[in-house]
Amino acid sequence: MLFYSEESQRHAGVAAWVRRGLELGSKILYTQPEGDPPDRSLPGLLQDEPDALEAMERGQIQVVPADPSTYDPVFIEAVVDGALSDGYPSVRWSGDASTAWGVIPRSRHELVEQATDELCTSRPLSVLCQYSALECSDAIGPLSQSHGGGLREQRFQAAPVEGGLAVAGELDATNQRTLSSLLTTATAAAERDPFVVDLSWVDFLDLPGARAVLLGTLDHRSSGGRVRLQAPQPHVAQLLRLLGIDRAEGIQWGETR
């Protein structure tokens, strides 16, 4: 899942995802509405990627026009199976959530996402769902919970791991609301105690980021649950200790990286 605040972030995220698909030899599908402005269309997103533009010409990268039938799980499965039968080792599919909301109700889109996520477990399929921060900030926790691949944003990433959630990158004021929402949703659905927050790939943490960890796990800890902060890098661990996070009720300290 790609969560973006600015169009430049979306450009960079989609371009990197496409490049990886080309490296893997994947069939790459991209859903966009008819008449999409040039700067938001796939050719516009890939204008600085000559290899990707060549792949579009030979059909490895294909645009799928958005209409209600595009979001039929049966159609999606048939297209994926067709690409695999053509000899592609894997399939990658992406599109912006606002494109789907333009042709189907949001409630139906949620069901389509669940079906697609299940398809990713039975086929060599990678789906990159794009969400604007302006439209989805309040719902980012539930959205991430429904996407097994987790969340990717410009400054940080998060993904489910056994027993909890792994986060990476920079945790600060720019994403504290997102992080708090993710942790609130993840801990609410936790099946194990303690809930593990893997910090091993966090490169930077400031006061708002640390506060997000506390607030996002507050409901879980208030109901008697425990949270283990696992493997923070030394400078991250030092700040957490200085702020007293390691002494907060329900917080356990895992090994330091």
mmCIF file of all heavy atoms in Angstrom, residues 195-244:
data_model
loop_
_atom_site.group_PDB
_atom_site.id
_atom_site.type_symbol
_atom_site.label_atom_id
_atom_site.label_comp_id
_atom_site.label_asym_id
_atom_site.label_seq_id
_atom_site.Cartn_x
_atom_site.Cartn_y
_atom_site.Cartn_z
ATOM 1 N N PHE A 195 2.319 -7.762 22.437
ATOM 2 C CA PHE A 195 2.325 -7.321 21.046
ATOM 3 C C PHE A 195 3.703 -6.741 20.756
ATOM 4 O O PHE A 195 4.213 -5.908 21.503
ATOM 5 C CB PHE A 195 1.253 -6.249 20.828
ATOM 6 C CG PHE A 195 1.181 -5.728 19.423
ATOM 7 C CD1 PHE A 195 0.396 -6.371 18.483
ATOM 8 C CD2 PHE A 195 1.904 -4.592 19.050
ATOM 9 C CE1 PHE A 195 0.320 -5.895 17.178
ATOM 10 C CE2 PHE A 195 1.836 -4.111 17.757
ATOM 11 C CZ PHE A 195 1.050 -4.769 16.808
ATOM 12 N N VAL A 196 4.327 -7.179 19.677
ATOM 13 C CA VAL A 196 5.693 -6.774 19.356
ATOM 14 C C VAL A 196 5.684 -5.610 18.375
ATOM 15 O O VAL A 196 5.027 -5.664 17.332
ATOM 16 C CB VAL A 196 6.498 -7.946 18.762
ATOM 17 C CG1 VAL A 196 7.879 -7.476 18.311
ATOM 18 C CG2 VAL A 196 6.614 -9.071 19.770
ATOM 19 N N VAL A 197 6.415 -4.550 18.716
ATOM 20 C CA VAL A 197 6.677 -3.458 17.779
ATOM 21 C C VAL A 197 8.158 -3.545 17.427
ATOM 22 O O VAL A 197 9.030 -3.206 18.239
ATOM 23 C CB VAL A 197 6.349 -2.079 18.382
ATOM 24 C CG1 VAL A 197 6.637 -0.973 17.359
ATOM 25 C CG2 VAL A 197 4.890 -2.018 18.818
ATOM 26 N N ASP A 198 8.451 -4.042 16.237
ATOM 27 C CA ASP A 198 9.835 -4.235 15.797
ATOM 28 C C ASP A 198 10.383 -2.897 15.297
ATOM 29 O O ASP A 198 9.940 -2.372 14.280
ATOM 30 C CB ASP A 198 9.875 -5.287 14.685
ATOM 31 C CG ASP A 198 11.296 -5.671 14.293
ATOM 32 O OD1 ASP A 198 12.231 -4.894 14.581
ATOM 33 O OD2 ASP A 198 11.477 -6.742 13.677
ATOM 34 N N LEU A 199 11.348 -2.366 16.026
ATOM 35 C CA LEU A 199 11.929 -1.056 15.707
ATOM 36 C C LEU A 199 13.308 -1.166 15.075
ATOM 37 O O LEU A 199 14.014 -0.166 14.939
ATOM 38 C CB LEU A 199 12.031 -0.212 16.985
ATOM 39 C CG LEU A 199 10.726 0.081 17.723
ATOM 40 C CD1 LEU A 199 11.026 0.767 19.054
ATOM 41 C CD2 LEU A 199 9.811 0.941 16.877
ATOM 42 N N SER A 200 13.700 -2.352 14.679
ATOM 43 C CA SER A 200 15.081 -2.575 14.259
ATOM 44 C C SER A 200 15.490 -1.774 13.025
ATOM 45 O O SER A 200 16.671 -1.505 12.816
ATOM 46 C CB SER A 200 15.338 -4.068 14.018
ATOM 47 O OG SER A 200 14.456 -4.590 13.051
ATOM 48 N N TRP A 201 14.503 -1.380 12.201
ATOM 49 C CA TRP A 201 14.824 -0.627 10.985
ATOM 50 C C TRP A 201 14.407 0.833 11.086
ATOM 51 O O TRP A 201 14.348 1.540 10.074
ATOM 52 C CB TRP A 201 14.172 -1.292 9.769
ATOM 53 C CG TRP A 201 14.704 -2.675 9.537
ATOM 54 C CD1 TRP A 201 14.098 -3.859 9.830
ATOM 55 C CD2 TRP A 201 15.986 -3.004 9.011
ATOM 56 N NE1 TRP A 201 14.906 -4.922 9.510
ATOM 57 C CE2 TRP A 201 16.079 -4.427 9.001
ATOM 58 C CE3 TRP A 201 17.062 -2.266 8.537
ATOM 59 C CZ2 TRP A 201 17.214 -5.098 8.546
ATOM 60 C CZ3 TRP A 201 18.186 -2.936 8.078
ATOM 61 C CH2 TRP A 201 18.248 -4.328 8.086
ATOM 62 N N VAL A 202 14.136 1.305 12.301
ATOM 63 C CA VAL A 202 13.835 2.722 12.498
ATOM 64 C C VAL A 202 15.153 3.484 12.595
ATOM 65 O O VAL A 202 15.962 3.237 13.477
ATOM 66 C CB VAL A 202 12.996 2.935 13.774
ATOM 67 C CG1 VAL A 202 12.854 4.439 14.070
ATOM 68 C CG2 VAL A 202 11.630 2.308 13.615
ATOM 69 N N ASP A 203 15.359 4.417 11.663
ATOM 70 C CA ASP A 203 16.607 5.177 11.612
ATOM 71 C C ASP A 203 16.548 6.459 12.419
ATOM 72 O O ASP A 203 17.576 6.976 12.846
ATOM 73 C CB ASP A 203 16.942 5.533 10.153
ATOM 74 C CG ASP A 203 17.095 4.307 9.279
ATOM 75 O OD1 ASP A 203 17.762 3.354 9.714
ATOM 76 O OD2 ASP A 203 16.540 4.312 8.153
ATOM 77 N N PHE A 204 15.328 6.997 12.601
ATOM 78 C CA PHE A 204 15.188 8.271 13.311
ATOM 79 C C PHE A 204 13.881 8.264 14.084
ATOM 80 O O PHE A 204 12.847 7.807 13.589
ATOM 81 C CB PHE A 204 15.196 9.442 12.323
ATOM 82 C CG PHE A 204 14.943 10.773 12.964
ATOM 83 C CD1 PHE A 204 15.963 11.467 13.588
ATOM 84 C CD2 PHE A 204 13.664 11.341 12.955
ATOM 85 C CE1 PHE A 204 15.718 12.698 14.193
ATOM 86 C CE2 PHE A 204 13.414 12.561 13.559
ATOM 87 C CZ PHE A 204 14.448 13.234 14.173
ATOM 88 N N LEU A 205 13.937 8.793 15.297
ATOM 89 C CA LEU A 205 12.739 8.897 16.144
ATOM 90 C C LEU A 205 12.846 10.184 16.932
ATOM 91 O O LEU A 205 13.887 10.478 17.522
ATOM 92 C CB LEU A 205 12.662 7.696 17.094
ATOM 93 C CG LEU A 205 11.513 7.698 18.107
ATOM 94 C CD1 LEU A 205 10.215 7.290 17.423
ATOM 95 C CD2 LEU A 205 11.814 6.744 19.263
ATOM 96 N N ASP A 206 11.764 10.988 16.931
ATOM 97 C CA ASP A 206 11.745 12.184 17.764
ATOM 98 C C ASP A 206 10.577 12.098 18.737
ATOM 99 O O ASP A 206 9.902 11.059 18.830
ATOM 100 C CB ASP A 206 11.700 13.455 16.918
ATOM 101 C CG ASP A 206 10.424 13.587 16.092
ATOM 102 O OD1 ASP A 206 9.516 12.732 16.236
ATOM 103 O OD2 ASP A 206 10.329 14.546 15.304
ATOM 104 N N LEU A 207 10.328 13.175 19.473
ATOM 105 C CA LEU A 207 9.286 13.161 20.499
ATOM 106 C C LEU A 207 7.906 12.831 19.927
ATOM 107 O O LEU A 207 7.197 11.981 20.485
ATOM 108 C CB LEU A 207 9.259 14.500 21.238
ATOM 109 C CG LEU A 207 8.175 14.665 22.305
ATOM 110 C CD1 LEU A 207 8.300 13.599 23.375
ATOM 111 C CD2 LEU A 207 8.251 16.068 22.925
ATOM 112 N N PRO A 208 7.459 13.460 18.821
ATOM 113 C CA PRO A 208 6.144 13.092 18.270
ATOM 114 C C PRO A 208 6.075 11.624 17.855
ATOM 115 O O PRO A 208 5.043 10.967 18.036
ATOM 116 C CB PRO A 208 5.992 14.022 17.062
ATOM 117 C CG PRO A 208 6.836 15.205 17.397
ATOM 118 C CD PRO A 208 8.021 14.630 18.116
ATOM 119 N N GLY A 209 7.168 11.093 17.316
ATOM 120 C CA GLY A 209 7.182 9.681 16.930
ATOM 121 C C GLY A 209 7.053 8.772 18.137
ATOM 122 O O GLY A 209 6.320 7.779 18.120
ATOM 123 N N ALA A 210 7.780 9.103 19.202
ATOM 124 C CA ALA A 210 7.699 8.304 20.426
ATOM 125 C C ALA A 210 6.305 8.407 21.044
ATOM 126 O O ALA A 210 5.750 7.413 21.545
ATOM 127 C CB ALA A 210 8.749 8.782 21.423
ATOM 128 N N ARG A 211 5.724 9.604 20.999
ATOM 129 C CA ARG A 211 4.376 9.784 21.530
ATOM 130 C C ARG A 211 3.373 8.934 20.745
ATOM 131 O O ARG A 211 2.426 8.382 21.321
ATOM 132 C CB ARG A 211 3.981 11.258 21.469
ATOM 133 C CG ARG A 211 2.627 11.554 22.102
ATOM 134 C CD ARG A 211 2.262 13.019 21.996
ATOM 135 N NE ARG A 211 3.174 13.855 22.762
ATOM 136 C CZ ARG A 211 3.944 14.796 22.222
ATOM 137 N NH1 ARG A 211 3.920 15.002 20.913
ATOM 138 N NH2 ARG A 211 4.740 15.520 22.977
ATOM 139 N N ALA A 212 3.576 8.812 19.437
ATOM 140 C CA ALA A 212 2.679 7.999 18.609
ATOM 141 C C ALA A 212 2.728 6.537 19.023
ATOM 142 O O ALA A 212 1.709 5.836 19.005
ATOM 143 C CB ALA A 212 3.048 8.143 17.134
ATOM 144 N N VAL A 213 3.912 6.045 19.395
ATOM 145 C CA VAL A 213 4.034 4.664 19.856
ATOM 146 C C VAL A 213 3.216 4.465 21.130
ATOM 147 O O VAL A 213 2.501 3.463 21.291
ATOM 148 C CB VAL A 213 5.515 4.299 20.093
ATOM 149 C CG1 VAL A 213 5.629 2.919 20.735
ATOM 150 C CG2 VAL A 213 6.284 4.325 18.773
ATOM 151 N N LEU A 214 3.296 5.437 22.045
ATOM 152 C CA LEU A 214 2.543 5.327 23.293
ATOM 153 C C LEU A 214 1.038 5.430 23.059
ATOM 154 O O LEU A 214 0.257 4.619 23.557
ATOM 155 C CB LEU A 214 2.988 6.413 24.267
ATOM 156 C CG LEU A 214 4.277 6.170 25.058
ATOM 157 C CD1 LEU A 214 4.512 7.320 26.025
ATOM 158 C CD2 LEU A 214 4.215 4.852 25.812
ATOM 159 N N LEU A 215 0.631 6.435 22.299
ATOM 160 C CA LEU A 215 -0.801 6.641 22.077
ATOM 161 C C LEU A 215 -1.408 5.510 21.251
ATOM 162 O O LEU A 215 -2.543 5.091 21.504
ATOM 163 C CB LEU A 215 -1.029 7.984 21.375
ATOM 164 C CG LEU A 215 -0.729 9.233 22.195
ATOM 165 C CD1 LEU A 215 -0.938 10.493 21.351
ATOM 166 C CD2 LEU A 215 -1.587 9.283 23.447
ATOM 167 N N GLY A 216 -0.670 5.016 20.283
ATOM 168 C CA GLY A 216 -1.193 3.960 19.429
ATOM 169 C C GLY A 216 -1.378 2.637 20.150
ATOM 170 O O GLY A 216 -2.174 1.800 19.719
ATOM 171 N N THR A 217 -0.646 2.449 21.230
ATOM 172 C CA THR A 217 -0.762 1.201 21.993
ATOM 173 C C THR A 217 -1.522 1.389 23.304
ATOM 174 O O THR A 217 -1.636 0.450 24.094
ATOM 175 C CB THR A 217 0.643 0.629 22.314
ATOM 176 O OG1 THR A 217 1.380 1.590 23.104
ATOM 177 C CG2 THR A 217 1.409 0.337 21.033
ATOM 178 N N LEU A 218 -2.041 2.593 23.536
ATOM 179 C CA LEU A 218 -2.652 2.911 24.831
ATOM 180 C C LEU A 218 -3.856 2.030 25.135
ATOM 181 O O LEU A 218 -3.980 1.495 26.251
ATOM 182 C CB LEU A 218 -3.066 4.385 24.848
ATOM 183 C CG LEU A 218 -3.735 4.869 26.139
ATOM 184 C CD1 LEU A 218 -2.807 4.681 27.337
ATOM 185 C CD2 LEU A 218 -4.146 6.341 26.010
ATOM 186 N N ASP A 219 -4.767 1.852 24.187
ATOM 187 C CA ASP A 219 -5.961 1.045 24.440
ATOM 188 C C ASP A 219 -5.582 -0.385 24.813
ATOM 189 O O ASP A 219 -6.170 -0.977 25.729
ATOM 190 C CB ASP A 219 -6.879 1.040 23.213
ATOM 191 C CG ASP A 219 -7.553 2.382 22.973
ATOM 192 O OD1 ASP A 219 -7.518 3.229 23.880
ATOM 193 O OD2 ASP A 219 -8.102 2.588 21.871
ATOM 194 N N HIS A 220 -4.613 -0.933 24.086
ATOM 195 C CA HIS A 220 -4.170 -2.307 24.350
ATOM 196 C C HIS A 220 -3.575 -2.415 25.750
ATOM 197 O O HIS A 220 -3.893 -3.350 26.509
ATOM 198 C CB HIS A 220 -3.129 -2.707 23.296
ATOM 199 C CG HIS A 220 -2.607 -4.094 23.448
ATOM 200 N ND1 HIS A 220 -3.368 -5.219 23.195
ATOM 201 C CD2 HIS A 220 -1.379 -4.554 23.830
ATOM 202 C CE1 HIS A 220 -2.631 -6.302 23.403
ATOM 203 N NE2 HIS A 220 -1.423 -5.927 23.795
ATOM 204 N N ARG A 221 -2.742 -1.442 26.114
ATOM 205 C CA ARG A 221 -2.097 -1.497 27.423
ATOM 206 C C ARG A 221 -3.080 -1.195 28.551
ATOM 207 O O ARG A 221 -2.982 -1.772 29.636
ATOM 208 C CB ARG A 221 -0.917 -0.520 27.456
ATOM 209 C CG ARG A 221 0.214 -0.941 26.522
ATOM 210 C CD ARG A 221 1.429 -0.025 26.600
ATOM 211 N NE ARG A 221 1.181 1.294 26.061
ATOM 212 C CZ ARG A 221 1.115 2.402 26.773
ATOM 213 N NH1 ARG A 221 1.270 2.351 28.105
ATOM 214 N NH2 ARG A 221 0.885 3.573 26.201
ATOM 215 N N SER A 222 -4.039 -0.317 28.296
ATOM 216 C CA SER A 222 -5.016 0.032 29.319
ATOM 217 C C SER A 222 -5.916 -1.144 29.675
ATOM 218 O O SER A 222 -6.454 -1.220 30.793
ATOM 219 C CB SER A 222 -5.875 1.209 28.850
ATOM 220 O OG SER A 222 -5.092 2.369 28.669
ATOM 221 N N SER A 223 -6.083 -2.063 28.730
ATOM 222 C CA SER A 223 -6.917 -3.244 28.982
ATOM 223 C C SER A 223 -6.097 -4.413 29.512
ATOM 224 O O SER A 223 -6.589 -5.540 29.582
ATOM 225 C CB SER A 223 -7.639 -3.658 27.699
ATOM 226 O OG SER A 223 -6.720 -4.032 26.690
ATOM 227 N N GLY A 224 -4.860 -4.152 29.899
ATOM 228 C CA GLY A 224 -4.024 -5.183 30.503
ATOM 229 C C GLY A 224 -3.027 -5.826 29.572
ATOM 230 O O GLY A 224 -2.243 -6.695 29.982
ATOM 231 N N GLY A 225 -3.022 -5.431 28.314
ATOM 232 C CA GLY A 225 -2.085 -6.000 27.359
ATOM 233 C C GLY A 225 -0.685 -5.430 27.528
ATOM 234 O O GLY A 225 -0.487 -4.387 28.164
ATOM 235 N N ARG A 226 0.276 -6.124 26.958
ATOM 236 C CA ARG A 226 1.667 -5.675 27.022
ATOM 237 C C ARG A 226 2.189 -5.428 25.615
ATOM 238 O O ARG A 226 1.739 -6.045 24.656
ATOM 239 C CB ARG A 226 2.528 -6.719 27.732
ATOM 240 C CG ARG A 226 2.141 -6.969 29.192
ATOM 241 C CD ARG A 226 2.803 -8.228 29.716
ATOM 242 N NE ARG A 226 2.318 -9.408 28.968
ATOM 243 C CZ ARG A 226 2.895 -10.605 29.032
ATOM 244 N NH1 ARG A 226 3.983 -10.791 29.762
ATOM 245 N NH2 ARG A 226 2.397 -11.626 28.345
ATOM 246 N N VAL A 227 3.170 -4.542 25.521
ATOM 247 C CA VAL A 227 3.792 -4.195 24.243
ATOM 248 C C VAL A 227 5.306 -4.297 24.402
ATOM 249 O O VAL A 227 5.879 -3.693 25.317
ATOM 250 C CB VAL A 227 3.404 -2.764 23.805
ATOM 251 C CG1 VAL A 227 4.184 -2.361 22.550
ATOM 252 C CG2 VAL A 227 1.909 -2.672 23.548
ATOM 253 N N ARG A 228 5.932 -5.064 23.517
ATOM 254 C CA ARG A 228 7.388 -5.207 23.564
ATOM 255 C C ARG A 228 8.017 -4.392 22.441
ATOM 256 O O ARG A 228 7.729 -4.614 21.269
ATOM 257 C CB ARG A 228 7.801 -6.671 23.421
ATOM 258 C CG ARG A 228 9.334 -6.868 23.382
ATOM 259 C CD ARG A 228 9.695 -8.324 23.299
ATOM 260 N NE ARG A 228 9.256 -9.025 24.493
ATOM 261 C CZ ARG A 228 8.999 -10.337 24.521
ATOM 262 N NH1 ARG A 228 9.109 -11.066 23.422
ATOM 263 N NH2 ARG A 228 8.618 -10.896 25.648
ATOM 264 N N LEU A 229 8.868 -3.450 22.806
ATOM 265 C CA LEU A 229 9.621 -2.669 21.828
ATOM 266 C C LEU A 229 10.881 -3.450 21.497
ATOM 267 O O LEU A 229 11.784 -3.555 22.329
ATOM 268 C CB LEU A 229 9.943 -1.285 22.393
ATOM 269 C CG LEU A 229 8.721 -0.465 22.852
ATOM 270 C CD1 LEU A 229 9.162 0.905 23.339
ATOM 271 C CD2 LEU A 229 7.694 -0.332 21.734
ATOM 272 N N GLN A 230 10.935 -3.986 20.305
ATOM 273 C CA GLN A 230 11.951 -4.964 19.945
ATOM 274 C C GLN A 230 13.071 -4.358 19.103
ATOM 275 O O GLN A 230 12.832 -3.682 18.103
ATOM 276 C CB GLN A 230 11.304 -6.114 19.155
ATOM 277 C CG GLN A 230 12.212 -7.281 18.851
ATOM 278 C CD GLN A 230 12.543 -8.077 20.110
ATOM 279 O OE1 GLN A 230 11.749 -8.106 21.065
ATOM 280 N NE2 GLN A 230 13.693 -8.712 20.125
ATOM 281 N N ALA A 231 14.298 -4.594 19.533
ATOM 282 C CA ALA A 231 15.528 -4.354 18.773
ATOM 283 C C ALA A 231 15.698 -2.946 18.219
ATOM 284 O O ALA A 231 16.064 -2.764 17.057
ATOM 285 C CB ALA A 231 15.626 -5.371 17.629
ATOM 286 N N PRO A 232 15.465 -1.895 19.019
ATOM 287 C CA PRO A 232 15.743 -0.550 18.500
ATOM 288 C C PRO A 232 17.246 -0.342 18.336
ATOM 289 O O PRO A 232 18.050 -0.920 19.075
ATOM 290 C CB PRO A 232 15.177 0.361 19.588
ATOM 291 C CG PRO A 232 15.268 -0.455 20.843
ATOM 292 C CD PRO A 232 14.999 -1.866 20.414
ATOM 293 N N GLN A 233 17.619 0.480 17.376
ATOM 294 C CA GLN A 233 19.018 0.837 17.221
ATOM 295 C C GLN A 233 19.445 1.658 18.439
ATOM 296 O O GLN A 233 18.619 2.295 19.094
ATOM 297 C CB GLN A 233 19.222 1.623 15.934
ATOM 298 C CG GLN A 233 18.883 0.828 14.679
ATOM 299 C CD GLN A 233 19.208 1.584 13.417
ATOM 300 O OE1 GLN A 233 20.295 2.129 13.255
ATOM 301 N NE2 GLN A 233 18.256 1.612 12.486
ATOM 302 N N PRO A 234 20.745 1.657 18.772
ATOM 303 C CA PRO A 234 21.194 2.296 20.024
ATOM 304 C C PRO A 234 20.729 3.730 20.205
ATOM 305 O O PRO A 234 20.302 4.110 21.293
ATOM 306 C CB PRO A 234 22.726 2.207 19.916
ATOM 307 C CG PRO A 234 22.960 0.978 19.099
ATOM 308 C CD PRO A 234 21.849 0.945 18.092
ATOM 309 N N HIS A 235 20.778 4.555 19.149
ATOM 310 C CA HIS A 235 20.384 5.961 19.315
ATOM 311 C C HIS A 235 18.872 6.095 19.503
ATOM 312 O O HIS A 235 18.412 6.999 20.207
ATOM 313 C CB HIS A 235 20.855 6.792 18.115
ATOM 314 C CG HIS A 235 20.254 6.390 16.795
ATOM 315 N ND1 HIS A 235 20.652 5.262 16.121
ATOM 316 C CD2 HIS A 235 19.283 6.959 16.038
ATOM 317 C CE1 HIS A 235 19.975 5.158 14.992
ATOM 318 N NE2 HIS A 235 19.129 6.162 14.925
ATOM 319 N N VAL A 236 18.103 5.172 18.916
ATOM 320 C CA VAL A 236 16.658 5.171 19.124
ATOM 321 C C VAL A 236 16.341 4.708 20.543
ATOM 322 O O VAL A 236 15.497 5.287 21.236
ATOM 323 C CB VAL A 236 15.960 4.277 18.080
ATOM 324 C CG1 VAL A 236 14.466 4.145 18.384
ATOM 325 C CG2 VAL A 236 16.149 4.853 16.678
ATOM 326 N N ALA A 237 17.028 3.668 20.978
ATOM 327 C CA ALA A 237 16.831 3.160 22.335
ATOM 328 C C ALA A 237 17.176 4.226 23.381
ATOM 329 O O ALA A 237 16.473 4.368 24.397
ATOM 330 C CB ALA A 237 17.693 1.915 22.555
ATOM 331 N N GLN A 238 18.228 4.985 23.117
ATOM 332 C CA GLN A 238 18.633 6.031 24.060
ATOM 333 C C GLN A 238 17.539 7.072 24.222
ATOM 334 O O GLN A 238 17.215 7.484 25.353
ATOM 335 C CB GLN A 238 19.926 6.693 23.573
ATOM 336 C CG GLN A 238 20.437 7.779 24.521
ATOM 337 C CD GLN A 238 21.710 8.420 24.013
ATOM 338 O OE1 GLN A 238 21.957 8.450 22.808
ATOM 339 N NE2 GLN A 238 22.532 8.929 24.916
ATOM 340 N N LEU A 239 16.937 7.499 23.129
ATOM 341 C CA LEU A 239 15.877 8.498 23.221
ATOM 342 C C LEU A 239 14.658 7.931 23.941
ATOM 343 O O LEU A 239 14.048 8.608 24.781
ATOM 344 C CB LEU A 239 15.487 8.983 21.824
ATOM 345 C CG LEU A 239 14.337 9.998 21.790
ATOM 346 C CD1 LEU A 239 14.720 11.263 22.558
ATOM 347 C CD2 LEU A 239 13.940 10.340 20.363
ATOM 348 N N LEU A 240 14.293 6.697 23.633
ATOM 349 C CA LEU A 240 13.151 6.080 24.297
ATOM 350 C C LEU A 240 13.352 6.032 25.805
ATOM 351 O O LEU A 240 12.415 6.273 26.580
ATOM 352 C CB LEU A 240 12.915 4.676 23.735
ATOM 353 C CG LEU A 240 12.392 4.604 22.289
ATOM 354 C CD1 LEU A 240 12.447 3.167 21.781
ATOM 355 C CD2 LEU A 240 10.964 5.133 22.196
ATOM 356 N N ARG A 241 14.566 5.741 26.225
ATOM 357 C CA ARG A 241 14.860 5.691 27.663
ATOM 358 C C ARG A 241 14.837 7.098 28.266
ATOM 359 O O ARG A 241 14.330 7.297 29.382
ATOM 360 C CB ARG A 241 16.213 5.031 27.894
ATOM 361 C CG ARG A 241 16.225 3.528 27.625
ATOM 362 C CD ARG A 241 17.501 2.883 28.160
ATOM 363 N NE ARG A 241 17.488 1.447 28.018
ATOM 364 C CZ ARG A 241 18.145 0.780 27.065
ATOM 365 N NH1 ARG A 241 18.858 1.456 26.164
ATOM 366 N NH2 ARG A 241 18.091 -0.524 27.005
ATOM 367 N N LEU A 242 15.399 8.069 27.556
ATOM 368 C CA LEU A 242 15.406 9.441 28.061
ATOM 369 C C LEU A 242 13.988 9.963 28.255
ATOM 370 O O LEU A 242 13.715 10.724 29.198
ATOM 371 C CB LEU A 242 16.169 10.353 27.092
ATOM 372 C CG LEU A 242 17.692 10.227 27.096
ATOM 373 C CD1 LEU A 242 18.288 11.058 25.969
ATOM 374 C CD2 LEU A 242 18.266 10.656 28.446
ATOM 375 N N LEU A 243 13.083 9.547 27.377
ATOM 376 C CA LEU A 243 11.688 9.986 27.456
ATOM 377 C C LEU A 243 10.878 9.145 28.438
ATOM 378 O O LEU A 243 9.713 9.451 28.704
ATOM 379 C CB LEU A 243 11.029 9.922 26.074
ATOM 380 C CG LEU A 243 11.597 10.878 25.017
ATOM 381 C CD1 LEU A 243 10.970 10.599 23.670
ATOM 382 C CD2 LEU A 243 11.359 12.324 25.434
ATOM 383 N N GLY A 244 11.486 8.098 28.955
ATOM 384 C CA GLY A 244 10.792 7.243 29.916
ATOM 385 C C GLY A 244 9.804 6.285 29.286
ATOM 386 O O GLY A 244 8.961 5.702 29.993
#
